[in-house]
């Protein structure tokens, strides 16, 4: 069964450093997403991406965050200057269509900010 | 008011039991509904979409009541492998999925 893959599985970074999280969505999917889950809390939406542009973003997704699809397969999330509160599990997801189409999640990148 | 509310549990049930989870959502304009399961420190995995007419997938039955803004999940003949956190998920109309905090299920031998 096709799956969303994410790298690295765990990233440890000093506060203030830039970090890039990488994702390879399912190959025929057209919509891509980033979510995060702080330990013990619910999964929170960050951003959705379609047709090479952001289609929706949450209040969490401020100027420190950016997304990019640099080639035909990768989808990245960049955090420019990390803060302690950015420590979380970051999940990438993809879907065939928008709206009522189910989103399929990668196994996540655990980001630890020191 | 929380957008998606679930009883956190935990629900402890013996193997073979039937267990039901409920969920309420606050925005009546919500369009799509799902149940996901999440094992400890793993990614959410789609269990099933929830349709207005109700739907079944093997031992799992989901119901949606739009008037009451209420979603349910019934698990029959529980297995040890059903132990997980069950996430009620709602899509308003765009792309963002709104997750509940989840209901924890432990199935015991």
């Amino acid at each position: 069964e096709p799956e969303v893959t994410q790298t690295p599985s765990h990233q440890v970074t000093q506060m203030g450093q830039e970090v890039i999280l990488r994702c390879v969505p399912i190959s025929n999917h057209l919509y891509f997403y980033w979510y995060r889950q702080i330990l013990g809390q619910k999964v929170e939406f960050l951003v959705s991406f379609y047709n090479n542009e952001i289609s929706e973003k949450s209040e969490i997704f401020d100027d420190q965050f950016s997304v990019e699809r640099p080639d035909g397969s990768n989808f990245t999330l960049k955090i420019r200057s990390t803060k302690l509160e950015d420590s979380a599990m970051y999940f990438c997801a993809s879907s065939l269509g928008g709206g009522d189409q189910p989103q399929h999640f990668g196994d996540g990148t655990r980001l630890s900010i020191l | 008011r929380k957008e998606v509310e679930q009883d956190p549990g935990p629900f402890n049930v013996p193997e073979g039991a039937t267990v039901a989870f409920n969920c309420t959502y606050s925005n009546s304009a919500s369009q799509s509904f799902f149940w996901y399961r999440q094992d400890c420190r793993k990614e959410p995995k789609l269990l099933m979409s929830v349709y207005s007419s109700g739907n079944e997938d093997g031992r799992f039955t989901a119901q949606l009541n739009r008037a009451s803004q209420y979603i349910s999940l019934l698990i029959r003949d529980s297995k040890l492998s059903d132990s997980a956190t069950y996430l009620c998920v709602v899509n308003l109309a765009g792309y963002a999925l709104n997750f509940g905090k989840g209901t924890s299920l432990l199935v015991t031998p």
Side-chain angles (χ1 to χ4, degrees), chain A residues 78-92:
Chain A
K78 182 193 290 187
I79 309 175
R80 261 180 274 284
S81 178
T82 50
K83 308 185 200 54
L84 293 176
E85 54 264 36
D86 292 327
S87 295
M89 184 73 103
Y90 287 80
F91 294 111
C92 174

Side-chain angles (χ1 to χ4, degrees), chain A residues 45-104:
Chain A
F45 170 76
L46 294 178
V47 65
S48 62
F49 192 85
Y50 169 70
N51 201 26
N52 280 320
E53 60 183 29
I54 290 173
S55 45
E56 189 176 352
K57 62 182 180 179
S58 71
E59 290 173 357
I60 303 168
F61 194 87
D62 62 21
D63 292 343
Q64 292 300 311
F65 291 86
S66 62
V67 289
E68 196 177 35
R69 188 152 162 84
D71 53 43
S73 58
N74 290 286
F75 179 51
T76 62
L77 174 70
K78 182 193 290 187
I79 309 175
R80 261 180 274 284
S81 178
T82 50
K83 308 185 200 54
L84 293 176
E85 54 264 36
D86 292 327
S87 295
M89 184 73 103
Y90 287 80
F91 294 111
C92 174
S94 69
S95 64
L96 198 53
D100 62 347
Q101 293 292 308
Q103 297 176 18
H104 298 270

Side-chain angles (χ1 to χ4, degrees), chain B residues 35-51:
Chain B
W35 283 101
Y36 280 73
R37 69 170 276 169
Q38 186 174 32
D39 294 287
C40 188
R41 297 192 167 218
K42 301 282 191 182
E43 76 275 21
K45 287 189 176 170
L46 178 68
L47 187 63
M48 58 199 301
S49 302
V50 186
Y51 303 115

Side-chain angles (χ1 to χ4, degrees), chain A residues 31 35 37 39 42-43 45 48 55-56 91 99-100 102-103 105-107, chain B residues 32 34 36 38 41-44 46 49 91 94-97 99-101:
Chain A
Y31 294 77
Y35 291 82
Q37 187 174 30
L39 190 63
K42 67 175 186 174
V43 177
F45 170 76
S48 62
S55 45
E56 189 176 352
F91 294 111
D100 62 347
Q103 297 176 18
F105 286 74
D107 58 2
Chain B
S32 310
F34 308 92
Y36 280 73
Q38 186 174 32
R41 297 192 167 218
K42 301 282 191 182
E43 76 275 21
L46 178 68
S49 302
N91 182 317
Y95 305 96
L97 293 181
F99 283 78
K101 283 198 74 173

Side-chain angles (χ1 to χ4, degrees), chain B residues 24-74:
Chain B
T24 56
Y25 58 95
S26 61
N27 196 319
S28 60
S30 298
Q31 297 288 323
S32 310
F33 310 90
F34 308 92
W35 283 101
Y36 280 73
R37 69 170 276 169
Q38 186 174 32
D39 294 287
C40 188
R41 297 192 167 218
K42 301 282 191 182
E43 76 275 21
K45 287 189 176 170
L46 178 68
L47 187 63
M48 58 199 301
S49 302
V50 186
Y51 303 115
S52 295
S53 54
N55 49 301
E56 189 173 304
D57 183 0
R59 299 181 293 109
F60 300 86
T61 301
Q63 297 279 350
L64 168 64
N65 184 323
R66 284 188 185 268
S68 302
Q69 295 177 209
Y70 171 97
I71 307 161
S72 66
L73 177 69
L74 184 78

